[in-house]
Amino acid sequence: MTNILLICHDIPSMTVGATLPIYHLIKNLGPKYDIKLICFDSGKYPINHIQKELKDIETIKIPEYLTVTKQLKYTIKNMISLDNLHTRSLLNYYYHKNMNTLIKNNVNDSDIIITDMPMAFYAKNINKPKIVYAFDAVSDYNHKMYKKSNTIPSKIYWYLNYLKIHNYEKVYNKFNNCIVVNQKDKQLLEKDIQIPITVVPNGVDTEFFKNTEKQEKTKLVFLGDMSTPPNNDAVKYFMEEIHPLIIKETEIDFFIVGRNPSNYILELDNYDNIYVTGSVEDVRDYLPRGTIFITPMVSGTGIKNKILEAMSMNLPVVSTSMGISGIDAEEGKEYLCADNNIVFKEKIMELINSPQLQLTIGDNARIFVENNYSWVTSMKKIEELINELI
């Protein structure tokens, strides 16, 4: 049986977008290949969910620092070593000399290496067939954040980050193939990456994300990791530009669901009819029938897994073009698109005033996801890629 050395920046989890594809890779390919997982362990995600499908797993504990200052101190401390000078992982939060040693000690037993984007520098010089699962063009996101920043310190921060990651992405040229989640990110990376780039769309577990709840009172829900700038920007845009227009016409509950809410998000919990949940055990509890799922994204890259999950739950989605980017659904049938505050308010009001429209859009969305975004189909593409390389 083919031996895969799989490298990830944290324990893969179905609840985190950054490791979701790796989680499903393990679930789908584990029965067909001998997979050894090497990863950091932040202590936030259970390991037992994936152990059955793995041949072996080795982890190194890594602390979680939510502030930039603490992350920087940890990063600088780790990078001051002769081993790091050889690895050339400048200001990489995931550099750890023990990880470098652990990976080197397992290379000989592997037939192919698959790594996610943050860990790619560990594998760049290994002489084995190897794939980098990049997901999306991260440098493009940082450049967009630089352009929209309003203060000089913020502009400096995002531009330096853009330069660092743009240079880091060139490491992909040391691999045999690079995987991204949509065509747009492929086109962005092709400007600097000469190796083949394969588009493998994210999927959704349609059995897990299935709505069995009865229709409830209509409410609005935004879902996401609330520590990230794109999600904060989306909520801020909604609260400042759209929400005031809605409450002039109707009262409706608005739930902001997701871990690590920023101070700005936490303050919103003091408003009438606005609820900030923080981390929740099961997001499905907040997505019953009657939910209008909003994604007023104004920044970010890649496919928004939360949209696919909401669609799978038979929910109508109102999104900006940026939010729905990479998902080839039909506007007006499988979701509603709104790229300014007036239209966004109008689309929401249409759904509030028509329970039948909620049901129609939601049911069409479910069918669309079932037909186009299966993890089984996506992982077959990766299986074909593995077989080509070995």
Side-chain angles (χ1 to χ4, degrees):
M1 190 176 284
T2 300
N3 291 294
I4 298 175
L5 179 59
L6 183 61
I7 307 170
C8 192
H9 72 278
D10 206 340
I11 292 175
S13 168
M14 71 174 298
T15 65
V16 181
T19 61
L20 183 67
I22 301 296
Y23 172 89
H24 284 284
L25 185 153
I26 292 168
K27 286 291 184 181
N28 284 271
L29 301 191
K32 303 176 183 179
Y33 299 89
D34 284 336
I35 302 176
K36 173 157 188 178
L37 174 65
I38 293 179
C39 63
F40 286 112
D41 180 2
S42 65
K44 294 184 293 182
Y45 311 112
I47 206 167
N48 59 300
H49 291 176
I50 53 175
Q51 278 182 312
K52 184 176 73 173
E53 289 81 13
L54 292 169
K55 177 185 178 183
D56 194 13
I57 179 170
E58 290 191 67
T59 65
I60 292 176
K61 293 285 185 182
I62 186 172
E64 180 188 23
Y65 296 115
L66 294 179
T67 68
V68 172
T69 303
K70 290 181 178 180
Q71 288 179 5
L72 189 60
K73 286 181 180 178
Y74 172 82
T75 301
I76 291 174
K77 179 184 175 183
N78 269 347
M79 63 180 281
I80 301 174
S81 72
L82 291 174
D83 181 69
N84 185 44
L85 290 174
H86 173 71
T87 309
R88 296 176 66 84
S89 52
L90 180 64
L91 289 179
N92 192 317
Y93 181 69
Y94 294 102
Y95 171 76
H96 196 296
K97 65 178 182 179
N98 292 345
M99 177 60 73
N100 205 32
T101 301
L102 181 59
I103 291 170
K104 286 179 179 178
N105 289 343
N106 282 275
V107 166
N108 289 339
D109 295 329
S110 65
D111 299 305
I112 189 168
I113 297 168
I114 301 175
T115 177
D116 67 355
M117 177 267 192
M119 305 290 278
F121 68 98
Y122 285 112
K124 65 179 182 180
N125 293 322
I126 295 174
N127 189 24
K128 291 272 186 176
K130 50 188 184 283
I131 299 168
V132 55
Y133 212 138
F135 308 137
D136 47 44
V138 181
S139 62
D140 180 67
Y141 159 68
N142 282 269
H143 193 258
K144 286 176 180 173
M145 292 300 294
Y146 153 71
K147 289 174 71 175
K148 72 186 291 257
S149 296
N150 297 319
T151 65
I152 291 176
S154 180
K155 277 192 172 293
I156 291 172
Y157 170 80
W158 285 112
Y159 190 69
L160 289 177
N161 223 34
Y162 158 70
L163 290 177
K164 172 181 177 284
I165 295 175
H166 181 65
N167 184 61
Y168 180 87
E169 286 172 339
K170 294 175 183 177
V171 165
Y172 302 165
N173 283 314
K174 300 275 190 176
F175 288 74
N176 299 97
N177 202 288
C178 173
I179 296 173
V180 294
V181 296
N182 62 40
Q183 194 66 31
K184 178 184 174 184
D185 289 294
K186 176 180 179 179
Q187 290 169 352
L188 287 167
L189 285 177
E190 281 178 334
K191 297 172 185 176
D192 296 293
I193 308 304
Q194 283 75 53
I195 64 165
I197 300 177
T198 303
V199 176
V200 179
N202 279 357
V204 61
D205 187 338
T206 53
E207 283 303 307
F208 183 81
F209 289 100
K210 178 185 289 186
N211 220 324
T212 57
E213 299 295 321
K214 294 180 180 179
Q215 181 88 8
E216 291 190 3
K217 175 186 171 185
T218 299
K219 66 175 183 284
L220 305 176
V221 170
F222 180 89
L223 171 67
D225 182 342
M226 298 315 304
S227 67
T228 67
N231 286 333
N232 271 264
D233 289 347
V235 172
K236 190 171 184 181
Y237 166 58
F238 180 77
M239 288 302 303
E240 293 181 355
E241 304 290 337
I242 304 167
H243 190 257
L245 303 178
I246 294 171
I247 59 176
K248 284 181 181 179
E249 299 188 28
T250 187
E251 277 192 5
I252 187 167
D253 291 340
F254 175 36
F255 287 80
I256 304 169
V257 182
R259 61 185 183 144
N260 302 327
S262 64
N263 290 334
Y264 169 76
I265 300 296
L266 288 171
E267 284 294 319
L268 296 177
D269 198 48
N270 297 320
Y271 288 60
D272 291 341
N273 302 318
I274 297 179
Y275 306 91
V276 178
T277 69
S279 181
V280 297
E281 187 171 336
D282 192 336
V283 297
R284 294 173 299 176
D285 294 338
Y286 293 86
L287 303 175
R289 286 279 204 172
T291 300
I292 298 172
F293 193 87
I294 63 168
T295 52
M297 310 304 293
V298 292
S299 62
T301 58
I303 286 180
K304 308 300 180 289
N305 300 307
K306 58 192 175 189
I307 293 181
L308 295 176
E309 291 164 359
M311 287 178 157
S312 184
M313 296 284 285
N314 296 79
L315 300 182
V317 173
V318 183
S319 177
T320 57
S321 296
M322 183 165 288
I324 203 76
S325 177
I327 300 175
D328 298 323
E330 183 178 339
E331 201 282 326
K333 178 183 177 183
E334 294 149 347
Y335 79 103
L336 300 178
C337 187
D339 281 326
N340 66 59
N341 61 331
I342 303 297
V343 177
F344 211 108
K345 183 269 295 186
E346 290 174 350
K347 298 292 186 183
I348 288 174
M349 291 307 303
E350 284 179 32
L351 290 166
I352 290 173
N353 293 326
S354 176
Q356 184 55 51
L357 182 61
Q358 292 182 38
L359 290 171
T360 301
I361 297 288
D363 289 347
N364 289 341
R366 169 77 187 188
I367 293 168
F368 165 75
V369 165
E370 287 177 330
N371 292 338
N372 295 280
Y373 287 92
S374 159
W375 278 116
V376 173
T377 302
S378 293
M379 291 305 138
K380 280 181 180 177
K381 290 186 179 181
I382 295 180
E383 190 174 357
E384 291 170 3
L385 195 53
I386 291 170
N387 294 335
E388 283 177 17
L389 292 177
I390 59 173

